[in-house]
Amino acid sequence: MTSDKAAPLLELRAVSKQFGEQPGRIERVAESLGWHTPARPVQALDAVNLAIAAGEVVGLVGESGCGKSTLGRIAVGLAAASAGERRWRGIAIDRLPPAERRHHQLGIQMIFQDPYASLNPRMRVRELIAEAPRVHGLVGRGAEADFVAARLQQVGLDPALAERFPHQFSGGQRARIGIARALAVNPAFLVCDEAVAALDVSIQAQVLNLFSHLREQLGLTYLFISHDLGVVRHLSDRVVIMYLGRVVESAPVDELFAHPNHPYTQALLAEAPTLKVERKRFLAIRGELPSPLDPPRGCHFHPRCPHAIARCRVEMPLLREIAPHHQSACHLNAG
Amino acid sequence: MSAPADDRLPLGVGPFARLVAAFADSRLALAGLALLLTIALAAAFAPWLAPQNPYDLMQLDILDSRLAPGSPSGDGRLTYHLGTDAQGRDMLSAILYGLRISVVVGVSATVLALLLGMALGLVAGYFGGRFDTLLMRIVDIQLAFPSILTAMILLALFGQGIDKIVIALVASQWAYYARTTRSTAMVEGRKEYIEAARLLGLSTARIVFRHLLPNCLPPLIVVAALQVAAAIALEATLSFLGLGLPVTEPSLGLLIANGFQYLYSGRYWISVFPGVALLLTILAINLVADQLRDVLNPRLQKQ
């Protein structure tokens, strides 16, 4: 393999994503006659850089609509970026011939949010788990039953359940089946998109513990997407904060929670509910998330930022290193 | 109604077994199913059940024509329980043979239309794009014409015969399946289990046939069950109008047409009995299809 040892396991370079197609011929004619207002493209991601080292767990946090799910889908290869590049072990994986790409792609799997929609309702658990490894020749016909049993045990399920159908399981069990299915092709990297958001809180903790356990056992790398700071803090080495299609801050987890730099991060942390009994005023972030159809100029956060200065309204702040491994995109750091 | 059956069922019961259990909840549907099976068996074993071969002109006696139900034949060898028609044909035999043709035509036209519409609809729904746009416009045009009109035009071009009428029925019905399949495939194709299958590196053919298609089947089964009845009715209509099958091999529609002219002279049996047979067939199919629709309805299915 031509992989580069020093390269990050997965790297997204200046990835952008626009939704909304170019107008077709009929739309253009209609527009010229004034019958049709052109649909403006939505800029879901704006030149996002993200590098994830092998063995690292990166938490990706942001409000709904900030583009974190889109970033996850691009990272895993379910969606194509409008611009930018995805590199897997230093290789531009999307430019490989299909067969080779498929081979590498197996190393990147996704854990989905909805434990109901993510399992094919017409397949038994055995087939859900064994189909892909059988097709790819990772497991022989005779070894299939043992293979499925081992995978089920790995995620904490009774191997006797292999002959059941998804509808016979609870949400937490389904989440485990989804994890077992992803692990069946021996991935190195898992993208978990709100993987525990649909579960009860007690079950969430169990599944999060399973994720940490699997990481130690299999040396997995995670991109953990969530809107829940508590979940991310529990699991991550590093946290990346997104706002309206841009990364605003990235730091090791303890550093971020101890010294949040970006005003948006500070607001997010201030709002996170805690169990400490104290009188607390909730200082909600003012206003709504602006529409990505018409993002504010300059820093996207300036209309809601308590510290905004004139410069924030015109110039987009770039991510800059403000402490070792701690990057933030805020003009206030410029002094 | 039927949904909470889960707890009573043994482990590992598949979606299909659940479906069967839910179906059996309605007595009316079971009665319909029993009637349908009886009709199917009668049609299948017509040559052994019928007292006479109505297509063998040597067995017919023109002197026995238009006899009332229950009359003995001229040679005394059999009783015409449902009377005879203008050619001296035993109506019971003619109905059994006619049923056979009606069912064969209805079922084979439905199966062919289903396969064609399903294949096109799956491709359109899963891949989208230009093929989807083009196909759906063709479907729109097709559905804008009444199916009887499409069938009549085609039969006028092709002429008579079982194969021709099947083609005409397929041509006038495939669009229903294409549209239903497409809409289901669009919904199912965006679900996360399809994305998971893509990430697992499964081939497109495997995803479409093993993951997508089985989950698109429930609404198609309902449409197909209802369309069998529609196809049989359409074939009867065409035969009644003299467009469908040749006079020598009468289907139910043609039998009804043959007796039509005698209705006012009191010889009701020539038209009415084939009409009743047609009615019962369509009723049985619709009872079964209605229950299938209830059972397969995704809003009632989950929980």
Side-chain angles (χ1 to χ4, degrees), chain B residues 128-202:
Chain B
R130 282 191 188 180
F131 176 78
D132 181 32
T133 313
L134 180 70
L135 184 77
M136 284 306 112
R137 293 302 78 76
I138 295 174
V139 166
D140 286 342
I141 294 167
Q142 169 82 66
L143 293 181
F145 287 97
S147 36
I148 184 140
L149 185 63
T150 317
M152 281 172 73
I153 293 170
L154 288 174
L155 285 174
L157 288 172
F158 295 154
Q160 289 183 325
I162 287 191
D163 50 343
K164 314 257 183 5
I165 196 161
V166 168
I167 293 173
L169 289 175
V170 169
S172 59
Q173 295 198 321
W174 69 273
Y176 293 101
Y177 302 104
R179 174 165 281 181
T180 311
T181 313
R182 172 196 179 249
S183 63
T184 324
M186 282 177 72
V187 173
E188 292 293 327
R190 294 205 180 114
K191 288 202 177 159
E192 291 177 345
Y193 69 87
I194 297 290
E195 300 194 323
R198 277 168 57 198
L199 284 180
L200 289 168
L202 303 178

Coordinates of all heavy atoms in Angstrom, one line a residue, chain B residues 128-202:
Chain B
G128 N -33.1 8.1 -9.9 CA -33.6 9.4 -10.2 C -33.1 9.9 -11.5 O -32.8 9.1 -12.4
G129 N -32.9 11.2 -11.6 CA -32.3 11.8 -12.8 C -33.2 11.8 -14.0 O -34.4 11.8 -13.9
R130 N -32.5 11.9 -15.2 CA -33.3 12.1 -16.4 C -34.2 10.9 -16.7 O -35.3 11.1 -17.2 CB -32.3 12.3 -17.6 CG -31.8 13.6 -17.6 CD -31.1 14.0 -18.8 NE -30.4 15.3 -18.6 CZ -29.7 15.9 -19.5 NH1 -29.5 15.3 -20.7 NH2 -29.2 17.0 -19.3
F131 N -33.7 9.7 -16.4 CA -34.6 8.5 -16.7 C -35.9 8.6 -15.9 O -36.9 8.3 -16.4 CB -33.8 7.2 -16.3 CG -34.6 6.0 -16.5 CD1 -34.8 5.5 -17.8 CD2 -35.2 5.4 -15.4 CE1 -35.6 4.3 -18.0 CE2 -36.0 4.3 -15.6 CZ -36.2 3.7 -16.9
D132 N -35.7 9.0 -14.7 CA -36.9 9.2 -13.8 C -37.9 10.2 -14.4 O -39.1 9.9 -14.5 CB -36.4 9.7 -12.4 CG -37.5 9.8 -11.4 OD1 -38.5 9.1 -11.5 OD2 -37.4 10.7 -10.5
T133 N -37.4 11.4 -14.8 CA -38.2 12.4 -15.3 C -39.0 11.9 -16.6 O -40.2 12.0 -16.7 CB -37.4 13.6 -15.7 OG1 -36.5 13.9 -14.6 CG2 -38.3 14.8 -16.0
L134 N -38.2 11.3 -17.5 CA -38.8 10.8 -18.7 C -39.8 9.7 -18.4 O -40.9 9.8 -18.9 CB -37.6 10.2 -19.6 CG -38.1 9.6 -20.9 CD1 -38.5 10.8 -21.8 CD2 -36.9 8.8 -21.5
L135 N -39.5 8.8 -17.6 CA -40.4 7.7 -17.3 C -41.7 8.2 -16.7 O -42.8 7.8 -17.1 CB -39.8 6.7 -16.3 CG -40.6 5.4 -16.1 CD1 -40.6 4.5 -17.3 CD2 -40.2 4.7 -14.8
M136 N -41.6 9.1 -15.7 CA -42.8 9.6 -15.1 C -43.7 10.4 -16.0 O -44.9 10.4 -15.9 CB -42.4 10.5 -13.9 CG -42.0 9.6 -12.7 SD -43.2 8.4 -12.2 CE -42.3 6.9 -12.7
R137 N -43.1 11.1 -17.0 CA -43.9 11.8 -18.0 C -44.6 10.8 -18.9 O -45.8 10.9 -19.2 CB -43.1 12.7 -18.9 CG -42.4 13.9 -18.1 CD -43.5 14.8 -17.5 NE -44.0 14.3 -16.2 CZ -43.3 14.3 -15.0 NH1 -42.1 14.8 -15.0 NH2 -43.8 13.8 -14.0
I138 N -43.9 9.7 -19.2 CA -44.6 8.6 -20.0 C -45.8 8.0 -19.2 O -46.9 7.8 -19.7 CB -43.6 7.5 -20.4 CG1 -42.6 8.1 -21.4 CG2 -44.3 6.4 -21.1 CD1 -41.4 7.2 -21.7
V139 N -45.5 7.8 -17.9 CA -46.6 7.3 -17.0 C -47.7 8.3 -17.0 O -48.9 7.9 -17.1 CB -46.0 7.1 -15.6 CG1 -47.1 6.8 -14.6 CG2 -45.1 5.8 -15.6
D140 N -47.5 9.6 -16.9 CA -48.5 10.6 -16.8 C -49.4 10.4 -18.1 O -50.6 10.5 -18.0 CB -47.9 12.0 -16.8 CG -47.4 12.3 -15.4 OD1 -47.8 11.6 -14.4 OD2 -46.6 13.2 -15.3
I141 N -48.7 10.4 -19.2 CA -49.4 10.3 -20.5 C -50.3 9.0 -20.5 O -51.5 9.0 -20.8 CB -48.5 10.3 -21.7 CG1 -47.8 11.7 -21.8 CG2 -49.2 10.0 -23.0 CD1 -46.6 11.7 -22.7
Q142 N -49.6 7.9 -20.1 CA -50.3 6.6 -20.1 C -51.6 6.7 -19.2 O -52.6 6.2 -19.6 CB -49.3 5.6 -19.6 CG -50.0 4.2 -19.3 CD -50.2 3.4 -20.5 OE1 -49.2 3.0 -21.2 NE2 -51.4 3.2 -20.9
L143 N -51.4 7.2 -18.1 CA -52.5 7.3 -17.1 C -53.6 8.3 -17.5 O -54.7 8.2 -17.0 CB -52.0 7.6 -15.7 CG -51.2 6.5 -15.1 CD1 -50.8 6.9 -13.7 CD2 -51.9 5.1 -15.1
A144 N -53.3 9.2 -18.4 CA -54.3 10.2 -18.9 C -55.3 9.5 -19.8 O -56.4 9.9 -19.9 CB -53.6 11.3 -19.6
F145 N -54.9 8.4 -20.4 CA -55.8 7.6 -21.3 C -56.5 6.6 -20.4 O -55.9 5.9 -19.6 CB -55.1 6.9 -22.4 CG -54.6 7.7 -23.5 CD1 -53.2 8.2 -23.5 CD2 -55.4 8.1 -24.5 CE1 -52.8 9.0 -24.5 CE2 -54.9 9.0 -25.5 CZ -53.6 9.4 -25.5
P146 N -57.9 6.5 -20.6 CA -58.5 5.4 -19.9 C -58.0 4.0 -20.3 O -57.6 3.9 -21.5 CB -60.0 5.5 -20.3 CG -60.1 6.8 -20.9 CD -58.8 7.2 -21.4
S147 N -57.8 3.1 -19.4 CA -57.1 1.8 -19.8 C -57.9 1.1 -20.9 O -57.3 0.5 -21.7 CB -56.9 1.0 -18.6 OG -57.9 1.1 -17.7
I148 N -59.2 1.2 -20.8 CA -60.0 0.5 -21.9 C -59.7 1.1 -23.3 O -59.6 0.3 -24.2 CB -61.5 0.6 -21.6 CG1 -62.3 -0.3 -22.6 CG2 -62.1 2.0 -21.6 CD1 -63.4 -1.0 -22.0
L149 N -59.4 2.4 -23.3 CA -59.1 3.0 -24.6 C -57.8 2.5 -25.1 O -57.7 2.1 -26.3 CB -59.1 4.5 -24.5 CG -58.9 5.3 -25.7 CD1 -60.1 5.1 -26.7 CD2 -58.8 6.8 -25.4
T150 N -56.8 2.5 -24.3 CA -55.5 1.9 -24.6 C -55.6 0.5 -25.1 O -55.1 0.1 -26.2 CB -54.5 1.9 -23.4 OG1 -54.7 3.1 -22.7 CG2 -53.1 1.7 -23.8
A151 N -56.3 -0.3 -24.4 CA -56.5 -1.7 -24.7 C -57.2 -1.9 -26.1 O -56.8 -2.7 -26.9 CB -57.2 -2.4 -23.6
M152 N -58.2 -1.1 -26.3 CA -59.0 -1.2 -27.5 C -58.2 -0.8 -28.7 O -58.2 -1.5 -29.8 CB -60.3 -0.3 -27.4 CG -61.4 -0.9 -26.6 SD -62.8 0.2 -26.3 CE -63.5 0.2 -28.0
I153 N -57.4 0.3 -28.6 CA -56.5 0.7 -29.7 C -55.5 -0.4 -30.0 O -55.4 -0.8 -31.2 CB -55.8 2.0 -29.3 CG1 -56.7 3.1 -29.2 CG2 -54.7 2.3 -30.4 CD1 -56.1 4.4 -28.6
L154 N -54.9 -1.0 -29.0 CA -53.9 -2.0 -29.2 C -54.6 -3.3 -29.9 O -54.0 -3.9 -30.8 CB -53.2 -2.4 -27.9 CG -52.3 -1.3 -27.4 CD1 -51.7 -1.7 -26.1 CD2 -51.1 -1.1 -28.4
L155 N -55.7 -3.7 -29.4 CA -56.4 -4.9 -29.9 C -56.8 -4.6 -31.3 O -56.8 -5.5 -32.2 CB -57.6 -5.3 -29.0 CG -57.2 -5.9 -27.7 CD1 -58.4 -6.2 -26.8 CD2 -56.4 -7.2 -28.0
A156 N -57.2 -3.4 -31.6 CA -57.6 -3.1 -33.0 C -56.4 -3.2 -33.9 O -56.5 -3.7 -35.1 CB -58.2 -1.7 -33.1
L157 N -55.2 -2.9 -33.4 CA -54.0 -3.1 -34.2 C -53.6 -4.6 -34.3 O -53.2 -5.0 -35.4 CB -52.9 -2.3 -33.6 CG -52.9 -0.8 -33.7 CD1 -51.8 -0.1 -32.8 CD2 -52.8 -0.3 -35.1
F158 N -53.6 -5.3 -33.2 CA -53.0 -6.6 -33.1 C -54.0 -7.7 -33.6 O -53.6 -8.7 -34.1 CB -52.7 -7.0 -31.7 CG -51.6 -6.2 -31.1 CD1 -51.5 -6.0 -29.7 CD2 -50.6 -5.6 -31.9 CE1 -50.5 -5.2 -29.1 CE2 -49.6 -4.8 -31.3 CZ -49.6 -4.6 -29.9
G159 N -55.3 -7.5 -33.4 CA -56.2 -8.6 -33.7 C -56.5 -9.4 -32.4 O -56.1 -9.0 -31.3
Q160 N -57.2 -10.5 -32.6 CA -57.7 -11.3 -31.4 C -56.7 -12.4 -31.0 O -55.8 -12.7 -31.7 CB -59.0 -12.0 -31.7 CG -60.1 -11.0 -31.8 CD -61.4 -11.6 -32.1 OE1 -61.5 -12.6 -32.8 NE2 -62.5 -11.1 -31.5
G161 N -56.9 -12.8 -29.7 CA -56.0 -13.9 -29.2 C -55.6 -13.7 -27.8 O -55.6 -12.5 -27.4
I162 N -55.4 -14.7 -27.1 CA -55.1 -14.6 -25.6 C -53.8 -13.8 -25.4 O -53.7 -12.9 -24.6 CB -54.9 -16.0 -25.0 CG1 -56.3 -16.6 -24.8 CG2 -54.3 -15.9 -23.6 CD1 -56.3 -17.9 -24.0
D163 N -52.7 -14.1 -26.2 CA -51.5 -13.4 -26.1 C -51.6 -11.9 -26.4 O -51.1 -11.0 -25.7 CB -50.4 -14.0 -27.0 CG -50.9 -14.1 -28.5 OD1 -52.2 -14.1 -28.7 OD2 -50.1 -14.3 -29.4
K164 N -52.5 -11.6 -27.4 CA -52.7 -10.2 -27.7 C -53.4 -9.4 -26.6 O -53.1 -8.3 -26.3 CB -53.5 -10.1 -29.0 CG -53.1 -11.1 -30.1 CD -52.3 -10.3 -31.1 CE -51.8 -11.2 -32.3 NZ -52.3 -12.6 -32.4
I165 N -54.4 -10.1 -26.0 CA -55.1 -9.4 -25.0 C -54.2 -9.2 -23.7 O -54.3 -8.2 -23.0 CB -56.5 -10.1 -24.6 CG1 -57.4 -9.1 -23.9 CG2 -56.3 -11.3 -23.8 CD1 -58.8 -9.5 -23.9
V166 N -53.4 -10.2 -23.5 CA -52.4 -10.0 -22.3 C -51.5 -8.8 -22.6 O -51.3 -8.0 -21.7 CB -51.6 -11.3 -22.1 CG1 -50.5 -11.0 -21.2 CG2 -52.5 -12.4 -21.6
I167 N -51.0 -8.7 -23.8 CA -50.1 -7.6 -24.1 C -50.9 -6.3 -23.9 O -50.4 -5.3 -23.4 CB -49.6 -7.7 -25.6 CG1 -48.7 -8.9 -25.7 CG2 -48.9 -6.4 -26.0 CD1 -48.3 -9.1 -27.1
A168 N -52.2 -6.2 -24.4 CA -53.0 -5.0 -24.3 C -53.2 -4.7 -22.8 O -53.1 -3.5 -22.4 CB -54.3 -5.2 -25.0
L169 N -53.4 -5.7 -22.0 CA -53.7 -5.4 -20.6 C -52.4 -4.9 -19.9 O -52.4 -4.0 -19.1 CB -54.2 -6.7 -19.9 CG -55.6 -7.1 -20.2 CD1 -55.9 -8.4 -19.5 CD2 -56.6 -6.0 -19.8
V170 N -51.2 -5.5 -20.2 CA -50.0 -5.1 -19.7 C -49.7 -3.7 -20.1 O -49.3 -2.8 -19.2 CB -48.8 -6.0 -20.2 CG1 -47.5 -5.4 -19.8 CG2 -48.9 -7.4 -19.6
A171 N -49.9 -3.3 -21.3 CA -49.7 -2.0 -21.8 C -50.5 -1.0 -21.1 O -50.1 0.2 -20.9 CB -49.9 -1.9 -23.3
S172 N -51.8 -1.4 -20.7 CA -52.6 -0.4 -20.1 C -52.4 -0.4 -18.6 O -53.0 0.5 -17.9 CB -54.1 -0.6 -20.5 OG -54.5 -1.9 -20.1
Q173 N -51.7 -1.3 -18.0 CA -51.6 -1.3 -16.5 C -50.2 -1.2 -15.9 O -50.1 -0.9 -14.7 CB -52.2 -2.6 -16.0 CG -53.7 -2.7 -16.3 CD -54.4 -3.7 -15.5 OE1 -53.9 -4.8 -15.2 NE2 -55.6 -3.4 -15.0
W174 N -49.1 -1.3 -16.7 CA -47.8 -1.2 -16.1 C -47.5 0.1 -15.4 O -46.8 0.1 -14.4 CB -46.7 -1.4 -17.2 CG -46.7 -0.2 -18.2 CD1 -47.4 -0.1 -19.3 CD2 -45.8 0.9 -18.1 NE1 -47.1 1.1 -19.9 CE2 -46.1 1.7 -19.1 CE3 -44.8 1.3 -17.1 CZ2 -45.5 3.0 -19.3 CZ3 -44.2 2.5 -17.3 CH2 -44.5 3.3 -18.4
A175 N -48.2 1.1 -15.9 CA -47.9 2.5 -15.3 C -48.2 2.6 -13.8 O -47.5 3.2 -13.1 CB -48.6 3.5 -16.1
Y176 N -49.3 1.9 -13.4 CA -49.7 1.9 -12.0 C -48.5 1.4 -11.1 O -48.2 1.9 -10.1 CB -50.9 1.0 -11.7 CG -52.2 1.6 -12.4 CD1 -52.6 1.0 -13.5 CD2 -52.8 2.6 -11.7 CE1 -53.8 1.5 -14.1 CE2 -54.0 3.1 -12.3 CZ -54.5 2.6 -13.5 OH -55.6 3.0 -14.1
Y177 N -47.9 0.2 -11.6 CA -46.9 -0.4 -10.9 C -45.6 0.5 -10.9 O -44.9 0.6 -9.9 CB -46.5 -1.8 -11.4 CG -47.7 -2.7 -11.4 CD1 -48.4 -3.0 -12.6 CD2 -48.2 -3.2 -10.2 CE1 -49.5 -3.8 -12.6 CE2 -49.3 -4.0 -10.2 CZ -50.0 -4.3 -11.4 OH -51.1 -5.1 -11.4
A178 N -45.3 1.1 -12.0 CA -44.1 1.9 -12.1 C -44.2 3.1 -11.2 O -43.3 3.4 -10.4 CB -44.0 2.4 -13.6
R179 N -45.4 3.7 -11.1 CA -45.5 4.9 -10.2 C -45.5 4.5 -8.7 O -44.8 5.1 -7.9 CB -46.8 5.6 -10.5 CG -47.1 6.7 -9.6 CD -48.2 7.6 -10.1 NE -47.7 8.5 -11.1 CZ -48.4 9.4 -11.6 NH1 -49.6 9.5 -11.4 NH2 -47.8 10.3 -12.5
T180 N -46.2 3.4 -8.4 CA -46.2 2.9 -7.0 C -44.8 2.5 -6.6 O -44.3 2.9 -5.5 CB -47.1 1.7 -6.8 OG1 -48.3 2.0 -7.4 CG2 -47.3 1.4 -5.4
T181 N -44.1 1.7 -7.4 CA -42.7 1.3 -7.1 C -41.8 2.5 -6.9 O -41.0 2.6 -6.0 CB -42.1 0.4 -8.2 OG1 -43.1 -0.6 -8.5 CG2 -40.9 -0.3 -7.7
R182 N -41.9 3.4 -7.8 CA -41.0 4.6 -7.8 C -41.2 5.3 -6.5 O -40.2 5.7 -5.8 CB -41.3 5.5 -9.0 CG -40.5 6.8 -8.9 CD -41.1 7.8 -9.8 NE -40.3 9.1 -9.7 CZ -40.9 10.2 -9.2 NH1 -42.1 10.1 -8.7 NH2 -40.2 11.3 -9.1
S183 N -42.4 5.6 -6.1 CA -42.6 6.4 -4.9 C -42.1 5.7 -3.7 O -41.5 6.3 -2.8 CB -44.1 6.9 -4.8 OG -44.9 5.7 -4.6
T184 N -42.3 4.4 -3.6 CA -41.8 3.6 -2.5 C -40.3 3.5 -2.5 O -39.7 3.7 -1.4 CB -42.4 2.2 -2.5 OG1 -43.7 2.2 -3.0 CG2 -42.4 1.6 -1.1
A185 N -39.8 3.3 -3.7 CA -38.3 3.2 -3.8 C -37.6 4.5 -3.4 O -36.5 4.5 -2.8 CB -37.9 2.8 -5.2
M186 N -38.3 5.6 -3.7 CA -37.7 6.9 -3.3 C -37.7 7.1 -1.8 O -36.7 7.5 -1.2 CB -38.5 8.1 -3.9 CG -38.2 8.3 -5.3 SD -39.2 9.6 -6.1 CE -38.4 11.0 -5.3
V187 N -38.8 6.6 -1.1 CA -38.8 6.7 0.4 C -37.8 5.8 1.0 O -37.0 6.1 1.8 CB -40.2 6.4 0.9 CG1 -40.3 6.4 2.4 CG2 -41.2 7.5 0.3
E188 N -37.9 4.5 0.6 CA -37.0 3.5 1.2 C -35.6 3.7 0.9 O -34.7 3.5 1.7 CB -37.4 2.1 0.7 CG -38.8 1.6 1.2 CD -38.8 1.4 2.7 OE1 -37.8 1.0 3.3 OE2 -39.9 1.7 3.3
G189 N -35.3 4.2 -0.4 CA -33.9 4.4 -0.8 C -33.2 5.4 0.0 O -31.9 5.4 0.0
R190 N -33.9 6.3 0.7 CA -33.2 7.3 1.5 C -33.1 6.9 2.9 O -32.6 7.7 3.7 CB -34.0 8.6 1.4 CG -34.0 9.1 0.0 CD -34.2 10.6 -0.1 NE -34.2 10.9 -1.5 CZ -35.2 11.4 -2.2 NH1 -36.4 11.6 -1.6 NH2 -35.1 11.6 -3.5
K191 N -33.6 5.7 3.3 CA -33.5 5.3 4.7 C -32.0 4.9 5.0 O -31.2 4.6 4.1 CB -34.4 4.2 4.9 CG -35.9 4.7 5.0 CD -36.7 3.7 5.7 CE -38.2 4.3 5.8 NZ -39.1 3.2 6.1
E192 N -31.7 4.9 6.3 CA -30.3 4.7 6.7 C -29.8 3.3 6.4 O -28.6 3.1 6.2 CB -30.2 5.1 8.1 CG -30.3 6.6 8.4 CD -30.3 6.9 9.9 OE1 -30.4 6.0 10.7 OE2 -30.1 8.1 10.1
Y193 N -30.7 2.3 6.3 CA -30.2 1.0 6.1 C -29.7 0.8 4.7 O -28.8 0.0 4.4 CB -31.3 -0.1 6.4 CG -32.5 -0.2 5.5 CD1 -32.4 -0.9 4.3 CD2 -33.6 0.5 5.8 CE1 -33.5 -1.0 3.5 CE2 -34.7 0.4 5.0 CZ -34.7 -0.3 3.8 OH -35.8 -0.4 3.0
I194 N -30.2 1.7 3.7 CA -29.6 1.6 2.4 C -28.3 2.3 2.4 O -27.3 1.8 1.7 CB -30.6 2.3 1.4 CG1 -31.9 1.6 1.3 CG2 -30.0 2.4 0.0 CD1 -31.9 0.3 0.7
E195 N -28.1 3.4 3.1 CA -26.8 4.0 3.2 C -25.8 3.1 3.9 O -24.6 3.0 3.5 CB -27.0 5.3 4.0 CG -27.9 6.3 3.4 CD -27.8 7.7 3.9 OE1 -27.6 7.8 5.1 OE2 -27.9 8.7 3.1
A196 N -26.3 2.4 4.9 CA -25.4 1.5 5.5 C -24.9 0.4 4.5 O -23.7 0.1 4.5 CB -26.1 0.8 6.7
A197 N -25.8 -0.1 3.7 CA -25.5 -1.1 2.7 C -24.4 -0.5 1.7 O -23.5 -1.2 1.3 CB -26.7 -1.6 2.0
R198 N -24.6 0.7 1.4 CA -23.6 1.4 0.5 C -22.2 1.4 1.1 O -21.2 1.1 0.5 CB -24.1 2.8 0.1 CG -25.1 2.8 -1.1 CD -25.7 4.1 -1.2 NE -24.8 5.2 -1.5 CZ -25.1 6.5 -1.3 NH1 -26.3 6.8 -0.9 NH2 -24.2 7.4 -1.5
L199 N -22.2 1.8 2.4 CA -20.9 1.9 3.1 C -20.3 0.6 3.2 O -19.1 0.5 3.3 CB -21.1 2.6 4.5 CG -21.4 4.0 4.5 CD1 -21.6 4.5 5.9 CD2 -20.2 4.8 3.8
L200 N -21.1 -0.5 3.3 CA -20.5 -1.8 3.5 C -20.0 -2.3 2.2 O -19.6 -3.5 2.1 CB -21.6 -2.8 4.1 CG -21.9 -2.5 5.5 CD1 -23.1 -3.3 6.0 CD2 -20.7 -2.8 6.4
G201 N -20.0 -1.5 1.1 CA -19.4 -1.9 -0.1 C -20.2 -2.9 -0.9 O -19.6 -3.6 -1.8
L202 N -21.5 -3.0 -0.7 CA -22.3 -4.0 -1.4 C -22.6 -3.4 -2.8 O -22.6 -2.2 -3.0 CB -23.6 -4.3 -0.7 CG -23.4 -4.8 0.8 CD1 -24.8 -5.0 1.4 CD2 -22.6 -6.1 0.8

